[in-house]
Amino acid sequence: MLAPKERKIFCLNNIAQVGLDKFRAGYIVTENIDDAAGIMVRSADMKEMNFPAGLRAIARAGAGVNNIPIEKCSEAGIVVFNTPGANANSVKELVIAGLLLASRDIYGGISWVRENAGISDITKLAEKAKKNFAGHEIAGKTLGVIGLGAIGVRVANAAISLGMNVLGYDPYLSLKSAWMLSPMVKHADTPDEVYSASDFITIHVPAMDATRHMLNAEAFSKMKEGVKLLNFARDILVDEEALRDAMTSGHVARYVSDFPNGTSANIPGAIVLPHLGASTEEAEDNCAVMAAVQLQDYLDNGNIANSVNFPEINAGLCGAEARVAILHRNIPAMLSGITSFFGSNGLNIENLINKARGQYAYTLLDISHKMPDDTTERLREINGVLRVRRVKERSQGW
């Protein structure tokens, strides 16, 4: 029996060993990116990178992919994976901490103790000073959750268990999230409903052109006087210059963000953390494991799960003579062109899955006969084909 194919993986960031251990025998972590069939990455900026010709996939050990040039990868037939939900509990717990930081001046109290640590009667002095750091309980207050994905649902449910009233808004609520969401979470039809009713607002939507600065001066004006905002998603979701004005006027009482930058770090009254959302051992392990499993399944079997640029396909393990994967544009006559090639070469298609996602599509085929040596080159000649992979061939090892 032939040995499994050797595949090389390059890690742009430190990836938890528990994830790397998920790769089967034959996978090697290489120090030369030019040899890599797959890249694993966390936060390293890949936007200006030149990708090696043999690179087939990138696995982001985390949810956000704004550090990866998605369109460039798509055009090169490089599948980009992320790990939605793997760090959701870690971020949820920090959001709950953010709620408490926003509702009570815990940060101010800690700073006061440090500043007065050398005073001998600090205990007595603290009893007089503590009134300066008084706040409010979160129980009974209303939390508006914008975005009910893997993190937003967990935040909403946790807030319910803490005695808060929760109002959720998400026009794209998935069936999975709907099943997970507490029935006590009230549904809002528009963001304006959330703005006008909430004492606290937390945002959990992806960063893209459509959501850039969605919390802006107009949105702030529709919020309650003294509202407290939490941003553990991405800094570009909030117009932080407009936020500075809203906080100076007192309309926004507090801003807790996990994204320090030149603006947020200098807003008086803002509490800005150094991007700690997924910085737990558990989250890093979960993301690494999920990324490795998805990357290996694609490289070994052609299956795609949690890709941000190509459709999800799962054909299981290949029991046929060969399996070929074709990444292509979503244009007319593509499928007929592909199947015609195999038919004209006397190759029977045992199984075929074709799915599209926007302007890109993916076709995975199991073939019952040995493919000609020039199969890859000839399939690439079909207009619209971006990449062809001979995923598995019985004669060459599995």
Side-chain angles (χ1 to χ4, degrees), residues 84 114 201:
R114 287 180 175 172
I201 295 174

Side-chain angles (χ1 to χ4, degrees), residues 162-243:
L162 291 170
M164 301 188 78
N165 304 309
V166 179
L167 187 61
Y169 171 76
D170 191 333
Y172 307 107
L173 182 66
S174 69
L175 182 60
K176 180 179 179 181
S177 291
W179 275 109
M180 292 175 61
L181 192 63
S182 166
M184 295 179 67
V185 175
K186 296 180 180 178
H187 172 70
D189 292 320
T190 66
D192 288 0
E193 290 182 48
V194 176
Y195 300 155
S196 62
S198 302
D199 303 298
F200 299 82
I201 295 174
T202 181
I203 186 167
H204 300 283
V205 300
M208 49 189 177
D209 290 341
T211 58
R212 183 180 181 85
H213 289 180
M214 65 179 295
L215 294 189
N216 51 31
E218 181 182 0
F220 299 146
S221 69
K222 297 175 181 179
M223 296 177 187
K224 277 186 175 184
E225 186 81 16
V227 68
K228 301 173 180 69
L229 303 180
L230 288 81
N231 180 8
F232 289 82
R234 280 291 181 267
D235 54 356
I236 69 166
L237 303 175
V238 178
D239 182 345
E240 292 178 332
E241 291 291 352
L243 174 68

Side-chain angles (χ1 to χ4, degrees), residues 247-304:
M247 292 189 69
T248 300
S249 71
H251 191 82
V252 175
R254 186 70 78 182
Y255 179 57
V256 184
S257 171
D258 200 25
F259 306 99
N261 57 52
T263 302
S264 65
N266 290 286
I267 297 177
I271 299 174
V272 184
L273 307 175
H275 201 186
L276 300 178
S279 294
T280 64
E281 289 186 19
E282 293 86 351
E284 291 181 7
D285 287 354
N286 291 341
C287 288
V289 168
M290 190 172 180
V293 169
Q294 292 172 170
L295 181 57
Q296 177 173 297
D297 196 22
Y298 175 67
L299 293 177
D300 282 357
N301 303 303
N303 297 323
I304 293 180

Side-chain angles (χ1 to χ4, degrees), residues 13 36 197 248 260 309 314 326 366:
N13 297 104
T248 300
N309 59 341
N314 191 336
I326 306 171
D366 287 345

Side-chain angles (χ1 to χ4, degrees), residues 7 9 15-24 27 39-40 57-61 81-83 86 285-306 313-314 317:
R7 301 190 192 278
I9 304 297
I15 302 297
Q17 188 62 44
V18 68
L20 299 180
D21 289 343
K22 288 294 179 180
F23 287 115
R24 62 162 171 78
Y27 272 76
I39 289 177
M40 296 188 74
I58 298 170
R60 161 76 166 99
F81 299 92
N82 68 345
T83 57
D285 287 354
N286 291 341
C287 288
V289 168
M290 190 172 180
V293 169
Q294 292 172 170
L295 181 57
Q296 177 173 297
D297 196 22
Y298 175 67
L299 293 177
D300 282 357
N301 303 303
N303 297 323
I304 293 180
N306 294 321
I313 282 182
N314 191 336
L317 300 177

